[in-house]
Amino acid sequence: MQANAFTEALDSQLAAGSRVNLSAPSARSVLGETPWLGGVPAATLDCLAELAVLHRMPSGSTLFEQAEIPSFAQLLVSCSVALLGVSGTVETLIELVRPIDLLLPAAVLNRQPFLARARVLEEAHLLLIQAEVFRDAIATDHALCLAVLGCQAAQFRRQIKLAKNLKLRSAEERVGCYLLGLVQEASPNTPVRLPMEKRFIAWQLGMTRETFSRILAVMEQYGLRVEGDMVEVVDAAPLGARF
């Protein structure tokens, strides 16, 4: 693809976004600082960066639609993106993607439609690599192929864990384990803010917003206090014993 065509396609797809300020890291530095790309030769990263663009996307913007054919491989550099399954006007959360990760790379590699809509939950920074350049680099560089395979394997494991969670745990256990995971990631004795709207968390945990709220109300008996979108551990013993 010629440079002008690349720019036109990029601007058309991401008209809602704005390019990162020139004082921000370059596309090449982002690739070089991505941990799971550490074993990829510099020459390959140079090739990927040549037609890659850093973009800043505002909160609430849509990166791509379900059933859209990918034009770019999208690397999430900061903040979070929700992958949403869509049926008519109904949306459901499939996964919350955090950096640094590729957004649905299988669709890019196979030239197939995206299976979900991607929406930015907070202002996010992404690196967009021309899809053809991305595919060519993977086909010719063994280290990059292994790195992307490892990225996809991690995504697959997350989905298996989510499926097990939905099928093997009760609604109360799913909520308790989710909250326990949040507080374990935080500093000790520090209240934690829920990372997204409660309706999105409920969807991810396979329940209605009402069921999620009802279970939050009884979490205090297990040593958790939930007020608004803040979660605090009052007593860790019953929390650990139950979940």
Side-chain angles (χ1 to χ4, degrees):
M1 180 183 291
Q2 297 298 316
N4 287 343
F6 171 76
T7 303
E8 289 172 5
L10 185 64
D11 291 342
S12 174
Q13 181 166 332
L14 293 174
S18 58
R19 298 191 181 188
V20 174
N21 189 284
L22 291 177
S23 61
S26 66
R28 180 60 179 84
S29 66
V30 167
L31 291 172
E33 293 168 7
T34 298
W36 50 270
L37 292 176
V40 178
T44 300
L45 298 183
D46 291 342
C47 179
L48 290 174
E50 186 176 351
L51 284 178
V53 180
L54 278 166
H55 265 256
R56 182 177 61 247
M57 299 300 295
S59 174
S61 59
T62 298
L63 296 174
F64 51 77
E65 288 288 353
Q66 181 174 284
E68 181 180 330
I69 301 294
S71 298
F72 307 96
Q74 302 192 27
L75 181 70
L76 179 62
V77 179
S78 69
C79 296
S80 56
V81 169
L83 297 179
L84 304 166
V86 183
S87 178
T89 59
V90 179
E91 295 180 336
T92 187
L93 181 68
I94 297 173
E95 185 178 11
L96 180 68
V97 182
R98 296 184 174 90
I100 298 174
D101 206 354
L102 288 167
L103 301 179
L104 299 182
V108 181
L109 294 175
N110 294 323
R111 299 179 175 88
Q112 292 180 321
F114 287 121
L115 295 180
R117 172 182 292 162
R119 179 175 299 144
V120 176
L121 294 185
E122 306 143 7
E123 182 180 277
H125 292 85
L126 297 105
L127 180 67
L128 278 72
I129 305 168
Q130 186 183 345
E132 197 62 40
V133 171
F134 185 69
R135 288 190 289 264
D136 288 346
I138 289 175
T140 56
D141 189 288
H142 181 69
L144 177 62
C145 182
L146 287 178
V148 173
L149 182 61
C151 175
Q152 289 188 283
Q155 295 176 354
F156 179 75
R157 286 179 62 83
R158 289 201 303 268
Q159 288 301 310
I160 291 295
K161 288 180 179 180
L162 176 60
K164 288 175 63 178
N165 192 40
L166 292 175
K167 293 178 181 296
L168 298 176
R169 287 174 172 155
S170 67
E172 182 179 278
E173 288 171 335
R174 296 198 297 271
V175 173
C177 290
Y178 176 83
L179 297 176
L180 178 60
L182 290 181
V183 299
Q184 286 179 334
E185 292 176 358
S187 301
N189 303 317
T190 303
V192 180
R193 187 180 302 276
L194 295 176
M196 52 186 162
E197 294 179 37
K198 290 179 180 178
R199 64 189 176 103
F200 286 124
I201 299 175
W203 290 346
Q204 188 173 23
L205 297 178
M207 63 190 71
T208 64
R209 170 71 168 78
E210 292 73 21
T211 298
F212 182 64
S213 295
R214 185 167 61 251
I215 295 173
L216 286 180
V218 302
M219 281 293 111
E220 193 161 355
Q221 65 181 297
Y222 302 119
L224 277 180
R225 179 182 296 125
V226 183
E227 296 183 0
D229 62 352
M230 298 302 296
V231 181
E232 180 182 2
V233 178
V234 178
D235 186 353
L239 181 66
R242 177 68 178 88
F243 303 113

